[in-house]
Structures are given as C-alpha cells and as structure tokens.
Amino acid sequence: MGLIKLDSEIKGECGSSYIPFGYTQPYTLDNPPSDDNKAQFISVKPTVFTEASLDKNKAKPAQFQVLGEDERPVSNLNGFYYIFVNGYLWREIAAVDNGCLSEVDLATEFGKNERSYSGLVTQTILLPKKTNGLNCEPGSLSDPTVQVAFSIAQWSWLYIVSLGGLYKDDPRQKSANATSPTHVEDQGLADSLRNARCQQIDLAVAEREGQITIHDPGGIALSLLNKCQVIFLQLQLENKKLTDKKHYDSGVLAYQAMLNDDLHEKVMRDHYIFPHRTSMTPIKTKKEGYADLSSGAKFLRSGAKHLDKEYLEQYLSNDKLEKYLKELPIAQKEFVDFLQDLNNDSSLTSKQSDYIGLAPVMNDWVALENVDYLFGFNFITNVLNMLSIDDVSTGVFRPWKEKLPAENERKKI
C-alpha cells in the first residue's frame, strides 16, 4: 500500500491555511503504529533576543512596531518567522500583538511581495521532529533539518527564492497566484545564504524547553540606534533650556572674553633687579607673568576680577545635560560594538554559538522590492549620522570641564 499525504487545511479567523506535513504509511485504528514509526511534531513558543548581551533570560515575544505621525503603531505586526525544513521554506508566520502568531497561507499568497496573514491566532508554533517526505523525496521516516529566522520586515518573494524557496513538489506552488519562480539555479549558493541567515534548531532542546529563542540582530541594532537618538534628542532639549535663558548669550560672551585660558596663561619672564642702590650691573632672574601683556588683555583681566566664576559656570550648565553627555558616548560605544558583533569587548558568538550577525540581516532590507529597499539605506544613513556626533556637534558650551579627569575618561569611551 502506498504512502498517504498529510497535507492539512487549518481554519483561521480570516480564512484557511494550507500546510503540507509530508507523508505517512496507512494504518487502521485497531493497529496504530508506535511513536517511533509515525510522524512527530512538537509545539514551541518562539521568543527573540532583545538585548546586545544576548541574555536568553531576557528574551521576549517579538515586539517591534512602526509608529505613525500620531505616535501610534501603523499596524499590529511585529515581524515574521520563516521556517525552513530540509532546505526549503515550509511556513511563514506573522508575529502580531501580545506575543500572538498568525499563519501566512502560502497557497494563496504565493509569489507576492506583500503577503497577508489569515491563520488562527495562537502563541505556539508546530515544528516537525520526525517526518517522511516533508520538503524531500518520500520514503521512510527521518529527522528533518529545521532552520528558523526572524525578520522585522517581510521578505520579498525573490529573496525567499534566493534562500531556497518552496520545494519543487510543494503543492502550494500550484496556486493560481503562482506567477513567480520558486527555485534557484544555484542550490549551493542558496544553502550558503540560508545557513548564514537562519538558525538551525536543536529539536531535542526545543522539545525539552518548550520554546525556541531566535536571534534578531536587526531589531537590536534599531533599538540601540534609537537609544542613541533619544539620548541625543534629550541632550539637545536640555541644551535649548540653557540657551533660552535670558542672560545666556551675555554669560557665554563674558566667559569667553574674560575667563578663557589664553587670557590668564602665565609664563616665566626675564626679570632684572639691582641688589643695591649703588649697583651698576643688574642681576637677571625669572619671574612669573602673564603671557599676553597687551592693554586689551589687561583690561579684560581687570574685568574678570569682578566676575563670580563659580556662579557663572552654574548658570551656564545643567545637571541633566551633563548626565546625557555622559550617557551618549556609552550608548554610541555599545552600538558600535554590536555592529562589529561585540558586546563588552566580547564576541557575540562566544555568548551564543549560533549567533546570526547583522550583515546577513541587511540582505533582508536591501532585497525589499519597490522603494521599500530604502529601509536599509535609511538605516545606514542614520548610523553614520549618529556615529559622527561628538562634543563639537552637540553645540554644548562647557569649556571649564575640558581639563577635568572625569572629562578625559568620558571622551575615552
């Protein structure tokens, strides 16, 4: 007796999702096979790493939403999980609100760049543990290779194809919407790209823990970039509070004119004295004096004597501003480290051996269709803009801090 297909049509809130589950040997209820002789699937809850430390204890359900001009999410989408089995795409699942998941029916959405989800909302994913003929030639039960990727942006269809696409005998590609190619000519290249982008799931560990934790370097990078941008914005707002003070401009002018280091710089000058009234030859000595002896400098120094330096520095400074000036280079370093696959000067692969770096994820963005690919270029532009910010570009006036040890330490970060 031949094999029987296990394809299933799962009802959802907005339609049905057609999912192939491979093949099975026929059997009767009176003579069922043992667990070792039938297809097996496990149910797991997916989470994503949310911090550059890659602390698994801090992993959470996907939470990434684009805000509109009213500062409200433009949709309830948080990203997409892509599940490859034996080298080919098996399922695409949308991460929606509150850690919930909804299937994208690839039978109806096949070939589209914008694919809608319509499956029943759940919080777990079914993964194959032992199958027959799932994305491979049917024959006997075997342990499948399962790879999973998470992306905050929905992949373009051609990008999916470049990673392997659907299996050649996948019944979903026979849909009326099947107008796009599904196979790659260079399978070796597809395997290389997919292995660089997706995590291979240890099914035994996944079954034992009841969850899988997926890398999200794109989400973490955007989060770190946003942290830098928020700190810089707060810094600018606090600096504006200072510059809006009634006497701020005159205070800066007075400080620059009368309290600058050059004006009060001292040097050792030759000094001649006559030891006695009757001495005919002077004695040459050294005496400390101001470097600038011009009449203008003398006038400004005389004015400086009447300034309360401590009060003026307090008037021109702000504790919150100092706080953000300390936080910004720390946030910038954390961001730069992450871009280089580092955290606290340690390689991220030393923290998680299956770490997926940011470089493969950039392919997700630049491979988007139409003008959506600009998402990747916009990210790069924002990165360059943020990392170019230094003390000069902040526009903050605080020259009295320059020689302090704490200031030197801040700049070394």
Side-chain angles (χ1 to χ4, degrees):
M1 189 177 294
L3 296 173
I4 300 175
K5 279 189 175 183
L6 290 176
D7 299 346
S8 179
E9 187 174 354
I10 302 175
K11 297 292 183 181
E13 295 183 355
C14 303
S16 301
S17 298
Y18 183 84
I19 305 173
F21 287 91
Y23 295 80
T24 184
Q25 293 283 355
Y27 60 86
T28 64
L29 294 177
D30 296 331
N31 188 29
S34 65
D35 288 343
D36 290 337
N37 292 312
K38 65 180 181 181
Q40 298 178 29
F41 294 83
I42 60 174
S43 180
V44 297
K45 182 178 181 180
T47 57
V48 297
F49 288 102
T50 58
E51 297 184 4
S53 63
L54 300 186
D55 186 344
K56 199 171 182 179
N57 295 320
K58 296 180 180 180
K60 300 177 182 178
Q63 295 178 342
F64 180 86
Q65 292 187 324
V66 178
L67 302 181
E69 294 182 357
D70 59 356
E71 297 187 355
R72 295 181 179 180
V74 297
S75 75
N76 66 340
L77 279 172
N78 291 280
F80 296 85
Y81 292 97
Y82 294 90
I83 305 172
F84 289 80
V85 174
N86 294 327
Y88 301 96
L89 182 65
W90 182 47
R91 301 173 68 184
E92 178 181 16
I93 298 175
V96 292
D97 288 337
N98 303 316
C100 293
L101 308 163
S102 183
E103 193 85 24
V104 174
D105 182 21
L106 294 177
T108 58
E109 301 298 316
F110 178 90
K112 301 178 182 178
N113 289 319
E114 295 182 7
R115 300 173 296 281
S116 302
Y117 61 90
S118 58
L120 186 68
V121 174
T122 181
Q123 291 190 321
T124 58
I125 293 176
L126 204 63
L127 296 179
K129 181 184 178 183
K130 183 176 291 187
T131 60
N132 183 349
L134 179 56
N135 283 354
C136 62
E137 292 296 326
S140 59
L141 287 170
S142 61
D143 298 331
T145 298
V146 178
Q147 296 171 294
V148 179
F150 175 79
S151 174
I152 57 177
Q154 188 174 43
W155 291 355
S156 70
W157 190 257
L158 286 179
Y159 184 56
I160 289 175
V161 172
S162 73
L163 299 182
L166 270 62
Y167 183 59
K168 62 183 178 65
D169 293 330
D170 192 315
R172 292 171 294 183
Q173 64 184 309
K174 298 177 182 178
S175 162
N177 293 328
T179 57
S180 296
T182 58
H183 308 299
V184 290
E185 295 181 1
D186 190 339
Q187 190 62 51
L189 177 59
D191 292 342
S192 176
L193 292 173
R194 186 182 62 259
N195 292 336
R197 181 61 183 87
C198 302
Q199 286 171 246
Q200 183 163 333
I201 304 301
D202 187 323
L203 295 171
V205 174
E207 183 177 26
R208 184 173 65 249
E209 297 181 351
Q211 73 172 37
I212 56 175
T213 306
I214 307 302
H215 291 290
D216 179 23
I220 294 175
L222 288 169
S223 177
L224 293 175
L225 174 61
N226 181 67
K227 179 181 178 181
C228 291
Q229 291 173 328
V230 169
I231 293 174
F232 180 64
L233 177 61
Q234 291 172 324
L235 188 156
Q236 294 293 91
L237 290 174
E238 290 301 324
N239 192 44
K240 190 174 187 305
K241 291 179 182 179
L242 284 178
T243 58
D244 286 345
K245 282 185 174 182
K246 183 177 181 180
H247 301 296
Y248 178 84
D249 291 340
S250 57
V252 170
L253 180 62
Y255 198 98
Q256 288 179 319
M258 301 182 195
L259 298 176
N260 71 79
D261 291 340
D262 291 340
L263 179 67
H264 297 274
E265 180 185 3
K266 289 187 176 182
V267 296
M268 298 303 295
R269 294 182 178 277
D270 292 340
H271 183 67
Y272 298 90
I273 60 174
F274 291 90
H276 302 286
R277 291 183 180 180
T278 59
S279 299
M280 300 297 293
T281 304
I283 299 175
K284 181 181 178 181
T285 63
K286 293 288 185 179
K287 184 177 181 181
E288 187 179 56
Y290 289 108
D292 188 348
L293 298 177
S294 66
S295 58
K298 292 178 181 178
F299 175 77
L300 291 173
R301 282 194 291 267
S302 66
K305 295 178 181 179
H306 302 286
L307 287 179
D308 187 333
K309 185 174 183 288
E310 182 177 351
Y311 173 81
L312 186 56
E313 288 176 354
Q314 290 179 348
Y315 184 83
L316 297 175
S317 62
N318 178 309
D319 289 341
K320 287 186 176 180
L321 180 61
E322 289 298 316
K323 171 177 174 288
Y324 296 134
L325 283 169
K326 291 178 181 179
E327 290 179 353
L328 182 58
I330 295 174
Q332 287 175 311
K333 183 180 186 303
E334 184 182 17
F335 184 37
V336 171
D337 282 354
F338 185 77
L339 295 178
Q340 301 177 84
D341 296 338
L342 297 172
N343 178 251
N344 292 330
D345 298 324
S346 297
S347 169
L348 292 177
T349 53
S350 68
K351 298 175 180 290
Q352 297 291 337
S353 59
D354 61 354
Y355 176 66
I356 302 297
L358 184 61
V361 176
M362 290 295 295
N363 292 333
D364 298 0
W365 302 343
V366 298
L368 295 173
E369 296 290 330
N370 300 323
V371 296
D372 292 340
Y373 77 93
L374 293 175
F375 181 85
F377 289 97
N378 185 55
F379 171 75
I380 294 173
T381 300
N382 285 329
V383 169
L384 295 175
N385 287 338
M386 179 49 58
L387 299 185
S388 67
I389 294 173
D390 56 14
D391 284 352
V392 175
S393 55
T394 60
V396 176
F397 181 79
R398 52 199 290 280
W400 56 89
K401 294 282 187 178
E402 292 300 318
K403 295 184 179 180
L404 297 180
E407 183 68 5
N408 292 329
E409 289 299 318
R410 183 183 74 85
K411 291 183 176 182
K412 287 180 181 178
I413 296 176

